Amino acid sequence: MKVWLDGVLRDSADTAIPCLTHTLHYGTGVFEGIRSYSGPQGCFIFRLRDHLERLQASANTLRVTMPYSIDEMEEAVQTLLRVNELGDSYIRPLVFIGEGSMSLDVRTPPGNRVRTLIAAWEWKSYFAGTPALGLSVRLGTWRRNFPHSGLNRAKAVGFYVNSYLAHADATACGYDEAILVDEGDHLAEATAANIFLVRNNGLVTPTTDAALAGITRDTMIEIARGLGFSVEERDIRPAEIFRADHVFLTGTACEVVPVAKVNGQPIGNDAGAQVVRDLAALYQRAVRNDYTPSRKPASSDWCTPHLRSSTETRNGIVSNA
Ligand code: PMP
């Protein structure tokens, strides 16, 4: 497998990241998770620009200047998918701080180089082996860290220790996933996904105060509103989960996944489950450029065609090692 490291394609086994890489010690990097899909209309990278803009916003939050422009990153993603001959794939850009100062002040001369990695691989199912009815989740044991600090708006490497711990705790106790709450004990999100409740043919989802502003979340809001559903973004008490018609998670990696049980208790009803199936099916069409929510402004292009031949490359900034 080839990866793209600082503008050069390399074998992934040959990347040799130095052991004093700042991010390895302090979690000072930012990353994204993006998917490409192949379907009847061709191969597309879903909301590539939105993901790269969020990457840049995450970098800004950490006061890191990205070495490559969004256009350059877009082209690098295209090149990587092409050389690895990937159609359906998961794409992982990571901007990280390299060697130099080992203090937290990375401005100390000569300064630490900011580095950029993009990897891509086939990752069919995030929750492998999950029953079709949905996930069994553990609710309420873990709190989202740093709510209101702004850090939850960044996809920062160090932030994921909180997700990792909540997920490890849930799986050790036999659950598939954890739902975290915020400082005020309202629902926040899952460990790498946002949460929605189906209620009376409408959706309710937590605000992004203590949750990542997920791109799948935004896509789902557009799809649902386009169908005439109401979508409320508000504080949600955990007990509401047990009164919901259904509950589902959204994320680039996991896509749209129903929740079947919360703390061992079955939740939802048949009508709610059907709503989730319908929304999940429309999501699967939207990511393949086969469905456009009616409210979506025509100018916002969600599906970037995946350029399959090198002659289609636009700037030619990517070289082979
Ligand atoms: N919350 C967290 C903590 C996440 O890591 C993710 C995955 N990026 C999400 C929500 C969902 O975001 P998206 O839909 O943009 O993948």
Side-chain angles (χ1 to χ4, degrees):
M1 178 177 87
K2 295 278 188 195
V3 298
W4 190 95
L5 181 63
D6 302 322
V8 177
L9 289 167
R10 295 180 184 281
D11 286 323
S12 69
D14 178 34
T15 47
I17 307 287
C19 55
L20 291 188
T21 294
H22 198 269
T23 297
L24 190 59
H25 297 256
Y26 302 119
T28 48
V30 294
F31 69 101
E32 268 305 319
I34 310 169
R35 272 193 188 273
S36 69
Y37 291 90
S38 47
Q41 319 290 331
C43 184
F44 297 94
I45 308 165
F46 191 60
R47 301 194 65 169
L48 175 59
R49 199 122 194 134
D50 292 322
H51 280 284
L52 294 175
E53 282 170 4
R54 187 171 68 183
L55 183 69
Q56 188 150 62
S58 297
N60 290 345
T61 303
L62 266 69
R63 300 172 185 236
V64 166
T65 305
M66 274 187 14
Y68 295 94
S69 69
I70 288 180
D71 283 348
E72 289 169 328
M73 295 287 286
E74 248 189 319
E75 179 137 349
V77 168
Q78 294 273 8
T79 304
L80 189 67
L81 295 193
R82 192 170 57 244
V83 299
N84 285 319
E85 298 180 359
L86 287 166
D88 291 278
S89 77
Y90 181 82
I91 303 154
R92 166 55 52 81
L94 171 71
V95 175
F96 62 102
I97 302 181
E99 281 182 301
S101 163
M102 279 306 281
S103 83
L104 290 178
D105 188 350
V106 291
R107 295 164 311 170
T108 310
N112 296 48
R113 178 180 173 204
V114 177
R115 308 194 60 184
T116 310
L117 171 74
I118 310 175
W121 63 91
E122 268 190 52
W123 193 3
K124 286 202 165 51
S125 174
Y126 183 78
F127 291 111
T130 302
L133 282 180
L135 303 170
S136 165
V137 303
R138 180 162 163 93
L139 165 67
T141 315
W142 285 83
R143 217 169 276 276
R144 221 344 141 216
N145 63 0
F146 316 128
H148 314 305
S149 69
L151 188 56
N152 66 301
R153 296 195 175 274
K155 264 186 86 69
V157 175
F159 182 54
Y160 280 78
V161 174
N162 180 234
S163 288
Y164 176 85
L165 288 172
H167 187 264
D169 172 69
T171 51
C173 295
Y175 298 87
D176 301 310
E177 172 61 315
I179 305 291
L180 296 92
V181 293
D182 68 13
E183 261 183 343
D185 281 332
H186 300 109
L187 298 182
E189 58 181 340
T191 60
N194 293 107
I195 183 166
F196 283 86
L197 275 55
V198 181
R199 290 201 70 179
N200 309 324
N201 259 341
L203 302 183
V204 190
T205 190
T207 69
T208 54
D209 286 345
L212 188 76
I215 290 169
T216 319
R217 174 185 183 277
D218 178 70
T219 304
M220 186 47 63
I221 290 173
E222 288 300 327
I223 290 175
R225 288 196 172 138
L227 295 172
F229 286 29
S230 64
V231 181
E232 261 187 285
E233 296 176 64
R234 63 164 169 83
D235 289 343
I236 304 173
R237 290 272 168 219
E240 288 191 50
I241 267 198
F242 299 101
R243 299 196 298 270
D245 294 320
H246 222 72
V247 173
F248 62 97
L249 307 182
T250 61
T252 299
C254 72
E255 303 173 309
V256 179
V257 193
V259 171
K261 281 186 191 168
V262 178
N263 294 349
Q265 186 172 328
I267 50 132
N269 55 43
D270 290 348
Q274 188 58 48
V275 170
V276 179
R277 277 196 293 276
D278 291 346
L279 291 172
L282 287 179
Y283 180 75
Q284 288 298 328
R285 287 181 54 198
V287 294
R288 291 174 174 80
N289 207 21
D290 189 33
Y291 177 76
T292 305
S294 63
R295 283 170 29 104
K296 189 165 85 69
S299 57
S300 66
D301 202 4
W302 279 355
C303 294
T304 302
H306 165 27
L307 309 173
R308 282 165 182 273
S309 96
S310 57
T311 52
E312 291 176 276
T313 304
R314 284 187 301 271
N315 307 327
I317 60 142
V318 181
S319 61
N320 277 297

